[in-house]
Amino acid sequence: NSADGCSQELTKTARTLPKPIAAFTFDNKCTYDAFAFNASSSTVANGDILTDYNWTYGDGKTGTSAISSNLYSTDGTYNVKLIVTSDNNCKDTVEADATVLPVPKATFSFSDECLNTPISFNAGNSSVNAPGTITSYIWDFAGTTAVSSTATRDFTFPEANPYLVKLTVATSDNCVHDTTIVATVHPRS
């Protein structure tokens, strides 16, 4: 009430703006494989729309689309953060840890041999960072393939020649690496 007995009333309608819900999916990948981060499951109610997607991948890189990708060059765990923004500038944040699985390092040794003598190939120095485990050794002896769970393999080539020998090592997480070396089979004197 005012001093002269008049009164005034003011009514305002307040609108509560809907807060978006940030969400995303991804699959853990091997080092050097592209991670696909998908935020299409993020939502906002009442006909509002999501206008911005801001990603931080935990390795110093960023992204700005609903479906985004990142390539990690080192294995480990990375905290991935997504901030979604609606057309009313309301925001929500979600975080998840992405595990970049270690890629093995394929390497092997052998000694050149004479014709009709088996060559012993040894991949015992192949390695992978923890927690990875090498589970298979796939040998390609100039077109003849042999798969083994052990690091050593003997093979006899049919002629005296140089041959390409390829070793692919794979982990229990299906991360792979390969290397190719020339093995020479010498004629018998």
Side-chain angles (χ1 to χ4, degrees):
N1 285 341
S2 65
D4 60 5
C6 294
S7 67
Q8 183 178 12
E9 189 175 300
L10 176 64
T11 304
K12 286 194 167 193
T13 303
R15 178 177 170 230
T16 302
L17 301 173
K19 181 180 178 183
I21 309 241
F24 65 94
T25 60
F26 65 95
D27 291 323
N28 291 327
K29 299 282 185 182
C30 302
T31 308
Y32 304 112
D33 288 344
F35 273 66
F37 296 101
N38 187 338
S40 61
S41 58
S42 297
T43 60
V44 65
N46 296 340
D48 290 0
I49 58 170
L50 295 174
T51 57
D52 292 311
Y53 299 83
N54 291 296
W55 299 91
T56 55
Y57 301 118
D59 64 349
K61 293 181 263 177
T62 61
T64 57
S65 59
I67 299 173
S68 189
S69 67
N70 189 44
L71 189 69
Y72 294 95
S73 59
T74 304
D75 59 89
T77 301
Y78 296 85
N79 182 260
V80 179
K81 181 164 91 172
L82 169 65
I83 302 171
V84 294
T85 307
S86 72
D87 55 349
N88 287 311
N89 205 33
C90 296
K91 300 177 188 273
D92 190 34
T93 302
V94 65
E95 298 181 38
D97 287 338
T99 301
V100 181
L101 304 166
V103 171
K105 172 73 174 156
T107 184
F108 65 96
S109 61
F110 61 95
S111 59
D112 292 342
E113 294 290 346
C114 291
L115 186 61
N116 297 324
T117 304
I119 298 177
S120 292
F121 294 90
N122 186 338
N125 287 331
S126 294
S127 62
V128 64
N129 290 342
T133 303
I134 295 175
T135 55
S136 68
Y137 300 83
I138 302 133
W139 298 95
D140 181 343
F141 299 107
T144 300
T145 302
V147 179
S148 176
S149 60
T150 60
T152 57
R153 190 71 174 197
D154 290 345
F155 190 80
T156 304
F157 290 98
E159 296 177 16
N161 281 313
Y163 293 93
L164 289 178
V165 177
K166 179 179 177 182
L167 169 66
T168 303
V169 292
T171 67
S172 56
D173 295 312
N174 294 318
C175 298
V176 298
H177 181 257
D178 64 65
T179 189
T180 303
I181 299 177
V182 175
T184 302
V185 176
H186 302 283
R188 287 217 176 264
S189 303

